[in-house]
Amino acid sequence: MGNKQTIFTEEQLDAYQVRYSNTFIAAKVNILQSQLHGRYHELAPHLVPMDYTNNPDVKLPLALIINMPELKENPFRNRIVESFSEDGLGNISFNDFVDMFSVLSETAPRELKAIYAFKIYDFNTDNFICKEDLEKTLNKLTREELTPEEVNLVCEKAIEEADMDGDNKLCFTDFENMISRAPDFLR
Amino acid sequence: MADKQASGSFLRLMSEESQASDLIIVFCDDHQETILDQGRCQGAPRRSLGGYSEDEDAWYPTRRWDRNVPLRNLPVSMQEKRDIRDRRNLQRRTIGCWESWRRSQRTVRRRMLEQMVQALSALQLWGRTLHSIEGRFGVSVKVYFVFLRYLVYLNLFNCLLTGALIQAPVFIFRNNIYSSTFKENDSYLDFFLGTGFLERSPVFYGFYTRGSLDGKCLNTPILFLLGVFSVLIFSLVMLVRRTVNGYKHKWMLSGRYNFSMSFKVFCSWDFCIHEPKSAAFKQSNIRNDLKMDLEEERFELLKSQRTLKVRVKIYFLRILLNTVVVILLGAAFCLIYIGTKYSHQQKDSKNYPWLYSLLLQYLPPIIITLVNFMLPHIFRVIVKFEDYSFTSQVNITLVRCIFLKLACLALFLFFLYDTLQKSPQNNQSCWENQFGKEMYKLLVFDLLATFTDTFFIMLPKKLLSEMYPECFLLKVMGRQKFLIQLNVLDLVYTQTVTWVGLFYCPMLTQICVCKLFAIFYIKKFAVQRCCKPTQRMFRASTSSVLFHFVLLLGLLMAFVVLGINLNKLKPSPTCGPFLGSSTVFNVTTMCVDSLPVHVGDFIKFMSSEAFAVPLIVVEILFLTSSMSLRSANNKCIERLKDMLVTCSSDKWYLVKQQAAWLQDQRSPQQSSSRAGSVEGSAPPEPRAHLDFHPLPERSVSQPCDTEPVPTHSRPPWNES
């Protein structure tokens, strides 16, 4: 950015315990803060103030966030933004924005990612991944290029594999159990 | 309540309760929520899980009050993190300074460790290249390059070992001065043949003499032996460690937890994709993968429906084709034998032009490389006729290729050993150098072949296909693919040759490192410039466990070859650190004899049978106990899984009971007609419900404001 004016107070910088996202070299926290603020500001320059020292309450709508280059090609972008927003509809404040980048970065711990992944895949937000959620996931993943019977077969098989307590839905414990055994080819 | 469903060799309980009607489920869900989230008001935001009070069970295990969890690992919003931080700060003031110092030390240590790990992972070789390759070609191609990088690290450490134990003592304690000048008869061909200049250099065995380091136990020959064996044992330890870890993850767990379909649905999307083309490509990959899975299931179904006649025909065809494969392998081995014999016979004649004699010298490596280039493609064609599922096809071809590669090398070494043993020892001016030269030639030719293949076969094909896309010949040959398994087998071959030849050509590890670096850049060029990403994903055998296992096989072969050579062949009397001894192990016997009596006796005892047999018996005991422990744990796991299902169905049963009772509470006038439709064993339970859960009464009474609140606490149907 190059501008010398302070965007955040020291206290705010302390409060944002952000992780380093996708960089190989650890950057200083306040540089990353300015970068993230710059990105947030770019999305809606007329809405987002440059100076955050008095904690303004600004929320950006879903439509602006999902056009960011990192999210544009992601089939789950709507769900991602919704699960990080406080009202569940996709209106993101700067806090939520930082949160989102923080969790999606490389260095976030696996348990945290598993929790948010569960929220993302839970389309009807009933704290279970049921068959309809799975079907929606699969359709988004393959751009609806599989026939309905194939979708049905795959979803049934996935639930049969991962469901541990026999209720035909995946609760968070089932999901976490399955994710923790995902193969890491490159260990 | 529950019925059993067979899956594999264990029975799984399937809950019948969960298949209840939708109406009850919806009702139960509503009430489950009102039951479970007490303090939550209706309009509260869905996302903030902090709405749950601290004593309750959220749907994920809460660890907010565990002070050791760093704030940024908690799945709550920024605002809540600030609240928790303030609360923790408050608590910090109320605890003593010793406790707070300990905690701050813990956080400092944790942060330092994290930073170190990040710095180390940033320092890894070729990090960015691998990242970009993964982005374009997917994870399976990256597996090859990661394997290559692992071999580079292994060989670098081996270089350190050989440098310290083999090369350094010889250079330091050398009697005559080593001059690396070119003499009259040397030529550039020496780099390819290993003669002349190279023969006098530290590359080959002949350079290493006893020198002035001549103690009883600390002398150059012992250090030489120590160096070679430490390299082999270190490699063995690293490989076994990796193979066992991978085996644990891949085969033991996947036998019990077979999540392949779930992984494909939940874990296959790469969240780092930016470009629309890569996204479309990834999506078609996923779709093809799923279609292949379904295709395989259909194949299995068809297979189980085959009639006897069809099955006999298929078995006959398979036997025929396997015979063809065996014949091909036999022909390849004969070719190698002829080549080795001819090359050895013509070795000493100097009448031929230099190119012809160069080719003659390189005849065995040329034959081996040609055979390994052509036969795998033939195997791939043959296996298509044998009527296996796609995964089995890939696996069978891979097994055949592995066998081909390792058997060719083993046979070549056997013929070499045979030749060296048969020819009279006096004529061989230094048979160890001869052996080392053959290994050196194998490595050099393999590098040349890789280079030629990339720049003179793949690159022209790619340029042609760009200039004339409709050419018929190119269509017949098909699109260029990066065949991961074959490339990995080449790496395994390189590493095996390095291990086998290490004793006779001590600088082979350094040469191998240079070669691996060259191969990395050549293959990187090949992948990025000459190949297109494939639409079908590779199945089954891209797991690195299999590759490490094959590498382990190569290492075992190296051990066997070295063992046979050291035991059966006498060290040559004119060169090397062991000249004058009848066997290589004379130096170790001398060292052991020079030690104090008790230590020497102890060492002799350890290498005798009296020690080996009890050791084997103890190991067998350990194995048996581990196996019985394992089967006991298996049974325990199955029981626990059944318990999970029963607990869940119990929960549903109770929720349904609750829902039915609450519905009765709401509409008491309909209760008499519904008396019979509720669970038969109902009557005593609802009262128990009242005792256990007084709370639902409160939460349900809100929507029931308009109706008269029931004045009696007994369930309505008890009246009738």
Side-chain angles (χ1 to χ4, degrees), chain A residues 73-148:
Chain A
E73 296 303 328
N74 199 318
F76 302 111
R77 51 187 180 270
N78 285 330
R79 276 303 303 154
I80 293 178
V81 176
E82 278 167 22
S83 42
F84 282 97
S85 68
E86 268 186 61
D87 55 6
L89 294 173
N91 297 314
I92 300 266
S93 70
F94 183 61
N95 283 346
D96 300 329
F97 190 72
V98 166
D99 232 2
M100 183 167 73
F101 271 86
S102 174
V103 171
L104 291 177
S105 82
E106 268 178 357
T107 51
R110 214 167 181 185
E111 300 80 30
L112 192 59
K113 286 197 193 247
I115 293 173
Y116 278 104
F118 187 75
K119 282 205 277 193
I120 289 172
Y121 290 128
D122 183 13
F123 280 78
N124 50 10
T125 53
D126 62 349
N127 293 339
F128 286 101
I129 295 183
C130 54
K131 196 158 166 213
E132 288 74 32
D133 292 334
L134 264 183
E135 285 178 359
K136 286 200 195 115
T137 308
L138 203 57
N139 280 328
K140 279 205 193 289
L141 209 53
T142 59
R143 274 192 200 163
E144 311 203 6
E145 278 167 0
L146 289 175
T147 67

Side-chain angles (χ1 to χ4, degrees), chain A residues 15-81:
Chain A
Y16 294 132
Q17 301 182 21
V18 176
R19 229 163 277 104
Y20 316 124
S21 58
N22 281 339
T23 54
F24 288 111
I25 307 162
K28 278 202 189 302
V29 172
N30 44 3
I31 295 178
L32 232 87
Q33 283 304 309
S34 333
Q35 282 179 352
L36 277 177
H37 181 259
R39 299 295 304 277
Y40 193 65
H41 180 80
E42 266 166 19
L43 293 172
H46 46 282
L47 280 179
V48 176
M50 280 303 283
D51 188 354
Y52 249 74
T53 44
N54 34 359
N55 285 339
D57 184 22
V58 173
K59 292 196 180 210
L60 294 185
L62 181 97
L64 283 177
I65 310 279
I66 58 177
N67 282 326
M68 287 185 70
E70 286 90 349
L71 289 178
K72 211 155 70 141
E73 296 303 328
N74 199 318
F76 302 111
R77 51 187 180 270
N78 285 330
R79 276 303 303 154
I80 293 178
V81 176

Side-chain angles (χ1 to χ4, degrees), chain B residues 103-114:
Chain B
R103 285 204 195 139
S104 62
Q105 283 301 309
R106 204 181 301 151
T107 22
V108 161
R109 252 181 292 152
R110 189 175 31 89
R111 285 207 187 127
M112 247 178 40
L113 203 65
E114 278 176 8

Side-chain angles (χ1 to χ4, degrees), chain B residues 639-687:
Chain B
R639 294 289 161 266
L640 286 173
K641 273 192 180 172
D642 290 344
M643 254 180 73
L644 260 181
V645 175
T646 30
C647 285
S648 157
S649 80
D650 280 347
K651 177 180 87 169
W652 279 112
Y653 176 73
L654 289 174
V655 167
K656 267 200 321 191
Q657 286 286 74
Q658 183 110 58
W661 179 77
L662 287 169
Q663 197 160 38
D664 283 337
Q665 289 286 68
R666 272 191 189 170
S667 44
Q669 58 270 27
Q670 299 171 10
S671 66
S672 47
S673 59
R674 279 185 52 239
S677 64
V678 187
E679 301 279 328
S681 59
E685 251 113 6
R687 206 166 292 181

Side-chain angles (χ1 to χ4, degrees), chain B residues 236-247:
Chain B
L236 181 70
V237 164
M238 296 299 289
L239 276 183
V240 165
R241 218 181 109 238
R242 274 205 136 190
T243 315
V244 162
N245 275 342
Y247 171 73

Side-chain angles (χ1 to χ4, degrees), chain B residues 71-322:
Chain B
L71 265 183
R72 47 186 191 186
N73 289 1
L74 291 173
V76 294
S77 68
M78 258 326 164
Q79 186 56 41
E80 277 141 22
K81 279 188 195 165
R82 283 207 202 96
D83 294 340
I84 297 176
R85 202 169 72 112
D86 293 335
R87 228 178 302 157
R88 284 189 186 176
N89 277 337
L90 266 174
Q91 282 168 343
R92 209 168 283 152
R93 281 189 209 127
T94 60
I95 57 179
C97 46
W98 169 248
E99 181 67 28
S100 74
W101 181 82
R102 254 193 20 186
R103 285 204 195 139
S104 62
Q105 283 301 309
R106 204 181 301 151
T107 22
V108 161
R109 252 181 292 152
R110 189 175 31 89
R111 285 207 187 127
M112 247 178 40
L113 203 65
E114 278 176 8
Q115 281 185 349
M116 246 175 34
V117 165
Q118 270 182 4
L120 273 179
S121 70
L123 278 179
Q124 284 233 20
L125 208 52
W126 300 315
R128 272 184 211 266
T129 315
L130 291 183
H131 209 71
S132 76
I133 289 179
E134 182 185 14
R136 262 194 79 197
F137 292 94
V139 153
S140 33
V141 172
K142 189 182 170 186
V143 167
Y144 168 77
F145 286 99
V146 167
F147 188 69
L148 179 57
R149 187 173 66 178
Y150 175 71
L151 284 181
V152 167
Y153 288 153
L154 191 66
N155 278 305
L156 276 175
F157 193 80
N158 289 344
C159 279
L160 267 175
L161 280 175
T162 51
L165 289 173
I166 300 182
Q167 270 113 21
V170 171
F171 273 113
I172 296 174
F173 296 103
R174 203 172 162 80
N175 282 338
N176 39 354
I177 303 169
Y178 167 61
S179 62
S180 61
T181 50
F182 273 105
K183 299 219 179 102
E184 316 89 42
N185 283 340
D186 295 343
S187 68
Y188 288 107
L189 278 184
D190 288 337
F191 277 108
F192 291 104
L193 291 174
T195 50
F197 163 72
L198 218 55
E199 197 164 0
R200 292 191 301 276
S201 69
V203 174
F204 290 113
Y205 177 86
F207 176 81
Y208 298 87
T209 56
R210 200 156 172 131
S212 53
L213 186 64
D214 210 3
K216 279 277 173 200
C217 252
L218 187 70
N219 45 30
T220 333
I222 283 213
L223 285 178
F224 191 92
L225 267 183
L226 193 64
V228 171
F229 280 114
S230 65
V231 162
L232 291 177
I233 289 176
F234 172 73
S235 310
L236 181 70
V237 164
M238 296 299 289
L239 276 183
V240 165
R241 218 181 109 238
R242 274 205 136 190
T243 315
V244 162
N245 275 342
Y247 171 73
K248 235 179 8 189
H249 280 131
K250 179 151 166 64
W251 280 313
M252 280 170 57
L253 286 182
S254 73
R256 171 177 315 288
Y257 300 110
N258 189 10
F259 291 131
S260 53
M261 200 59 95
S262 322
F263 289 152
K264 287 199 182 100
V265 173
F266 290 117
C267 308
S268 53
W269 183 257
D270 181 7
F271 278 59
C272 294
I273 289 183
H274 289 216
E275 297 150 38
K277 251 190 341 184
S278 322
F281 172 68
K282 184 88 186 176
Q283 273 169 333
S284 54
N285 251 356
I286 295 174
R287 184 199 64 220
N288 285 338
D289 201 17
L290 290 170
K291 278 203 195 258
M292 268 209 281
D293 268 342
L294 295 170
E295 190 64 50
E296 275 188 22
E297 294 222 348
R298 251 174 254 147
F299 181 84
E300 292 295 312
L301 197 63
L302 275 176
K303 196 166 116 160
S304 60
Q305 291 169 349
R306 280 185 195 152
T307 62
L308 187 63
K309 203 169 99 170
V310 170
R311 242 185 273 180
V312 164
K313 196 172 90 158
I314 287 183
Y315 285 147
F316 179 69
L317 195 61
R318 280 184 193 168
I319 292 176
L320 186 67
L321 288 173
N322 273 314

